[in-house]
Amino acid sequence: KPRFVAGAVGPTSRTLSVSPSVEDPSFRNVTWDELVESYVEQIGGLVDGGVDLLMIETIFDTQNAKAAIFAVDEYFERTKKERLPVMLSATIVDNSGRTLSGQTIEAFY
């Protein structure tokens, strides 16, 4: 039987949308560029390991999801390798349909 391997990208312990500091809501402990590079590194290891598709998973922050998707594009543009299919798994925590950071599913668009 044919089998396919999905390489899991994420999650991270960092978020782009919510400050980890109650005292300073504008503070972020990671930048967009840092997060993208972290995802690019993950993607490179997964592709080198022979995955058939990439799965951006357990995303609780839509900005992180967008950084991961951007990183997929960036990786394949840099390497000129054949692009793999991508799946996305988001974490919705309650009946209101919101993520842990309070965003709705529409924020993923």
Side-chain angles (χ1 to χ4, degrees):
K1 292 181 187 179
R3 291 181 174 65
F4 299 95
V5 176
V9 178
T12 72
S13 61
R14 308 292 177 146
T15 177
L16 288 169
S17 293
V18 180
S19 173
S21 171
V22 175
E23 294 81 25
D24 184 0
S26 67
F27 174 75
R28 298 295 181 269
N29 59 4
V30 69
T31 67
W32 169 271
D33 291 339
E34 291 168 337
L35 196 57
V36 167
E37 283 307 311
S38 173
Y39 286 135
V40 167
E41 184 177 336
Q42 286 182 47
I43 293 161
L46 293 167
V47 171
D48 289 348
V51 298
D52 299 297
L53 63 106
L54 297 168
M55 182 170 162
I56 300 167
E57 57 102 6
T58 320
I59 297 293
F60 61 90
D61 178 352
T62 58
Q63 288 290 36
N64 284 40
K66 292 172 184 180
I69 294 166
F70 183 87
V72 169
D73 290 339
E74 185 71 17
Y75 173 81
F76 288 107
E77 185 175 308
R78 288 182 194 175
T79 65
K80 307 295 186 218
K81 293 185 178 182
E82 184 178 345
R83 188 181 167 95
L84 297 177
V86 176
M87 295 173 61
L88 180 93
S89 169
T91 303
I92 305 298
V93 296
D94 61 24
N95 289 335
S96 72
R98 295 186 179 272
T99 65
L100 287 170
S101 53
Q103 299 153 323
T104 64
I105 198 71
E106 287 81 12
F108 282 93
Y109 294 114

PDB file of all heavy atoms in Angstrom, residues 10-29:
ATOM      1  N   GLY A  10       5.732  23.533  13.279  1.00  0.00           N
ATOM      2  CA  GLY A  10       5.148  24.196  14.437  1.00  0.00           C
ATOM      3  C   GLY A  10       4.694  23.174  15.445  1.00  0.00           C
ATOM      4  O   GLY A  10       4.950  22.002  15.275  1.00  0.00           O
ATOM      5  N   PRO A  11       4.037  23.565  16.469  1.00  0.00           N
ATOM      6  CA  PRO A  11       3.862  24.955  16.904  1.00  0.00           C
ATOM      7  C   PRO A  11       5.138  25.484  17.563  1.00  0.00           C
ATOM      8  O   PRO A  11       6.086  24.724  17.764  1.00  0.00           O
ATOM      9  CB  PRO A  11       2.738  24.857  17.924  1.00  0.00           C
ATOM     10  CG  PRO A  11       2.915  23.502  18.533  1.00  0.00           C
ATOM     11  CD  PRO A  11       3.422  22.627  17.405  1.00  0.00           C
ATOM     12  N   THR A  12       5.131  26.741  17.906  1.00  0.00           N
ATOM     13  CA  THR A  12       6.240  27.312  18.658  1.00  0.00           C
ATOM     14  C   THR A  12       5.700  27.787  20.004  1.00  0.00           C
ATOM     15  O   THR A  12       4.492  27.815  20.222  1.00  0.00           O
ATOM     16  CB  THR A  12       6.865  28.522  17.926  1.00  0.00           C
ATOM     17  OG1 THR A  12       5.958  29.622  18.009  1.00  0.00           O
ATOM     18  CG2 THR A  12       7.174  28.214  16.481  1.00  0.00           C
ATOM     19  N   SER A  13       6.603  28.181  20.867  1.00  0.00           N
ATOM     20  CA  SER A  13       6.180  28.737  22.158  1.00  0.00           C
ATOM     21  C   SER A  13       6.084  30.257  22.090  1.00  0.00           C
ATOM     22  O   SER A  13       5.876  30.913  23.105  1.00  0.00           O
ATOM     23  CB  SER A  13       7.170  28.327  23.246  1.00  0.00           C
ATOM     24  OG  SER A  13       8.459  28.839  22.923  1.00  0.00           O
ATOM     25  N   ARG A  14       6.226  30.801  20.886  1.00  0.00           N
ATOM     26  CA  ARG A  14       6.185  32.254  20.685  1.00  0.00           C
ATOM     27  C   ARG A  14       4.950  32.643  19.882  1.00  0.00           C
ATOM     28  O   ARG A  14       4.479  31.876  19.056  1.00  0.00           O
ATOM     29  CB  ARG A  14       7.427  32.727  19.927  1.00  0.00           C
ATOM     30  CG  ARG A  14       8.745  32.284  20.507  1.00  0.00           C
ATOM     31  CD  ARG A  14       9.015  32.930  21.826  1.00  0.00           C
ATOM     32  NE  ARG A  14      10.259  32.420  22.387  1.00  0.00           N
ATOM     33  CZ  ARG A  14      11.073  33.132  23.104  1.00  0.00           C
ATOM     34  NH1 ARG A  14      10.802  34.388  23.367  1.00  0.00           N
ATOM     35  NH2 ARG A  14      12.160  32.600  23.593  1.00  0.00           N
ATOM     36  N   THR A  15       4.451  33.839  20.132  1.00  0.00           N
ATOM     37  CA  THR A  15       3.295  34.336  19.394  1.00  0.00           C
ATOM     38  C   THR A  15       3.559  35.755  18.908  1.00  0.00           C
ATOM     39  O   THR A  15       4.174  36.551  19.615  1.00  0.00           O
ATOM     40  CB  THR A  15       2.013  34.285  20.241  1.00  0.00           C
ATOM     41  OG1 THR A  15       0.941  34.842  19.493  1.00  0.00           O
ATOM     42  CG2 THR A  15       2.147  35.015  21.553  1.00  0.00           C
ATOM     43  N   LEU A  16       3.096  36.035  17.712  1.00  0.00           N
ATOM     44  CA  LEU A  16       3.260  37.376  17.144  1.00  0.00           C
ATOM     45  C   LEU A  16       2.122  38.319  17.530  1.00  0.00           C
ATOM     46  O   LEU A  16       2.267  39.528  17.429  1.00  0.00           O
ATOM     47  CB  LEU A  16       3.341  37.294  15.618  1.00  0.00           C
ATOM     48  CG  LEU A  16       4.636  36.714  15.059  1.00  0.00           C
ATOM     49  CD1 LEU A  16       4.488  36.430  13.569  1.00  0.00           C
ATOM     50  CD2 LEU A  16       5.793  37.666  15.302  1.00  0.00           C
ATOM     51  N   SER A  17       0.994  37.778  17.977  1.00  0.00           N
ATOM     52  CA  SER A  17      -0.193  38.608  18.190  1.00  0.00           C
ATOM     53  C   SER A  17      -0.420  39.065  19.625  1.00  0.00           C
ATOM     54  O   SER A  17      -1.107  40.046  19.849  1.00  0.00           O
ATOM     55  CB  SER A  17      -1.451  37.857  17.732  1.00  0.00           C
ATOM     56  OG  SER A  17      -1.412  37.684  16.349  1.00  0.00           O
ATOM     57  N   VAL A  18       0.134  38.347  20.572  1.00  0.00           N
ATOM     58  CA  VAL A  18      -0.151  38.650  21.974  1.00  0.00           C
ATOM     59  C   VAL A  18       1.154  38.850  22.731  1.00  0.00           C
ATOM     60  O   VAL A  18       2.088  38.065  22.584  1.00  0.00           O
ATOM     61  CB  VAL A  18      -0.957  37.507  22.633  1.00  0.00           C
ATOM     62  CG1 VAL A  18      -1.254  37.822  24.090  1.00  0.00           C
ATOM     63  CG2 VAL A  18      -2.246  37.246  21.869  1.00  0.00           C
ATOM     64  N   SER A  19       1.199  39.888  23.543  1.00  0.00           N
ATOM     65  CA  SER A  19       2.383  40.152  24.346  1.00  0.00           C
ATOM     66  C   SER A  19       2.497  39.153  25.490  1.00  0.00           C
ATOM     67  O   SER A  19       1.505  38.850  26.155  1.00  0.00           O
ATOM     68  CB  SER A  19       2.309  41.564  24.930  1.00  0.00           C
ATOM     69  OG  SER A  19       3.377  41.767  25.838  1.00  0.00           O
ATOM     70  N   PRO A  20       3.708  38.644  25.751  1.00  0.00           N
ATOM     71  CA  PRO A  20       3.890  37.792  26.923  1.00  0.00           C
ATOM     72  C   PRO A  20       4.002  38.606  28.207  1.00  0.00           C
ATOM     73  O   PRO A  20       4.087  38.050  29.299  1.00  0.00           O
ATOM     74  CB  PRO A  20       5.203  37.058  26.621  1.00  0.00           C
ATOM     75  CG  PRO A  20       5.954  38.001  25.748  1.00  0.00           C
ATOM     76  CD  PRO A  20       4.907  38.725  24.941  1.00  0.00           C
ATOM     77  N   SER A  21       3.970  39.934  28.093  1.00  0.00           N
ATOM     78  CA  SER A  21       4.119  40.814  29.249  1.00  0.00           C
ATOM     79  C   SER A  21       2.822  41.569  29.530  1.00  0.00           C
ATOM     80  O   SER A  21       2.370  42.373  28.715  1.00  0.00           O
ATOM     81  CB  SER A  21       5.246  41.826  28.986  1.00  0.00           C
ATOM     82  OG  SER A  21       5.274  42.811  29.999  1.00  0.00           O
ATOM     83  N   VAL A  22       2.258  41.325  30.684  1.00  0.00           N
ATOM     84  CA  VAL A  22       1.041  42.036  31.093  1.00  0.00           C
ATOM     85  C   VAL A  22       1.329  43.526  31.254  1.00  0.00           C
ATOM     86  O   VAL A  22       0.483  44.366  30.964  1.00  0.00           O
ATOM     87  CB  VAL A  22       0.489  41.449  32.413  1.00  0.00           C
ATOM     88  CG1 VAL A  22      -0.697  42.236  32.914  1.00  0.00           C
ATOM     89  CG2 VAL A  22       0.142  39.995  32.230  1.00  0.00           C
ATOM     90  N   GLU A  23       2.541  43.846  31.683  1.00  0.00           N
ATOM     91  CA  GLU A  23       2.920  45.241  31.917  1.00  0.00           C
ATOM     92  C   GLU A  23       3.115  46.027  30.618  1.00  0.00           C
ATOM     93  O   GLU A  23       3.020  47.248  30.610  1.00  0.00           O
ATOM     94  CB  GLU A  23       4.220  45.321  32.740  1.00  0.00           C
ATOM     95  CG  GLU A  23       4.082  44.803  34.158  1.00  0.00           C
ATOM     96  CD  GLU A  23       4.161  43.280  34.229  1.00  0.00           C
ATOM     97  OE1 GLU A  23       4.767  42.646  33.340  1.00  0.00           O
ATOM     98  OE2 GLU A  23       3.581  42.724  35.171  1.00  0.00           O
ATOM     99  N   ASP A  24       3.424  45.340  29.509  1.00  0.00           N
ATOM    100  CA  ASP A  24       3.696  46.022  28.247  1.00  0.00           C
ATOM    101  C   ASP A  24       3.023  45.283  27.091  1.00  0.00           C
ATOM    102  O   ASP A  24       3.608  44.392  26.483  1.00  0.00           O
ATOM    103  CB  ASP A  24       5.206  46.095  28.017  1.00  0.00           C
ATOM    104  CG  ASP A  24       5.566  46.880  26.752  1.00  0.00           C
ATOM    105  OD1 ASP A  24       4.653  47.363  26.055  1.00  0.00           O
ATOM    106  OD2 ASP A  24       6.773  46.980  26.475  1.00  0.00           O
ATOM    107  N   PRO A  25       1.779  45.648  26.769  1.00  0.00           N
ATOM    108  CA  PRO A  25       1.045  44.960  25.715  1.00  0.00           C
ATOM    109  C   PRO A  25       1.669  45.090  24.325  1.00  0.00           C
ATOM    110  O   PRO A  25       1.359  44.324  23.432  1.00  0.00           O
ATOM    111  CB  PRO A  25      -0.332  45.596  25.741  1.00  0.00           C
ATOM    112  CG  PRO A  25      -0.343  46.584  26.829  1.00  0.00           C
ATOM    113  CD  PRO A  25       1.008  46.663  27.432  1.00  0.00           C
ATOM    114  N   SER A  26       2.578  46.047  24.128  1.00  0.00           N
ATOM    115  CA  SER A  26       3.210  46.207  22.820  1.00  0.00           C
ATOM    116  C   SER A  26       4.447  45.321  22.660  1.00  0.00           C
ATOM    117  O   SER A  26       4.953  45.157  21.555  1.00  0.00           O
ATOM    118  CB  SER A  26       3.607  47.672  22.596  1.00  0.00           C
ATOM    119  OG  SER A  26       4.645  48.034  23.494  1.00  0.00           O
ATOM    120  N   PHE A  27       4.914  44.729  23.753  1.00  0.00           N
ATOM    121  CA  PHE A  27       6.128  43.905  23.708  1.00  0.00           C
ATOM    122  C   PHE A  27       5.875  42.580  23.002  1.00  0.00           C
ATOM    123  O   PHE A  27       4.848  41.945  23.191  1.00  0.00           O
ATOM    124  CB  PHE A  27       6.626  43.631  25.138  1.00  0.00           C
ATOM    125  CG  PHE A  27       7.786  42.680  25.186  1.00  0.00           C
ATOM    126  CD1 PHE A  27       9.058  43.093  24.827  1.00  0.00           C
ATOM    127  CD2 PHE A  27       7.601  41.357  25.570  1.00  0.00           C
ATOM    128  CE1 PHE A  27      10.126  42.216  24.869  1.00  0.00           C
ATOM    129  CE2 PHE A  27       8.660  40.472  25.602  1.00  0.00           C
ATOM    130  CZ  PHE A  27       9.926  40.899  25.255  1.00  0.00           C
ATOM    131  N   ARG A  28       6.839  42.168  22.169  1.00  0.00           N
ATOM    132  CA  ARG A  28       6.821  40.844  21.540  1.00  0.00           C
ATOM    133  C   ARG A  28       8.180  40.208  21.775  1.00  0.00           C
ATOM    134  O   ARG A  28       9.210  40.890  21.700  1.00  0.00           O
ATOM    135  CB  ARG A  28       6.561  40.932  20.027  1.00  0.00           C
ATOM    136  CG  ARG A  28       5.211  41.527  19.653  1.00  0.00           C
ATOM    137  CD  ARG A  28       4.057  40.650  20.118  1.00  0.00           C
ATOM    138  NE  ARG A  28       2.763  41.176  19.750  1.00  0.00           N
ATOM    139  CZ  ARG A  28       2.024  41.993  20.495  1.00  0.00           C
ATOM    140  NH1 ARG A  28       2.471  42.416  21.660  1.00  0.00           N
ATOM    141  NH2 ARG A  28       0.840  42.390  20.092  1.00  0.00           N
ATOM    142  N   ASN A  29       8.192  38.910  22.073  1.00  0.00           N
ATOM    143  CA  ASN A  29       9.467  38.239  22.316  1.00  0.00           C
ATOM    144  C   ASN A  29       9.993  37.531  21.076  1.00  0.00           C
ATOM    145  O   ASN A  29      10.942  36.755  21.152  1.00  0.00           O
ATOM    146  CB  ASN A  29       9.366  37.281  23.496  1.00  0.00           C
ATOM    147  CG  ASN A  29       8.319  36.212  23.300  1.00  0.00           C
ATOM    148  OD1 ASN A  29       7.706  36.129  22.247  1.00  0.00           O
ATOM    149  ND2 ASN A  29       8.107  35.396  24.314  1.00  0.00           N
TER     150      ASN A  29
END
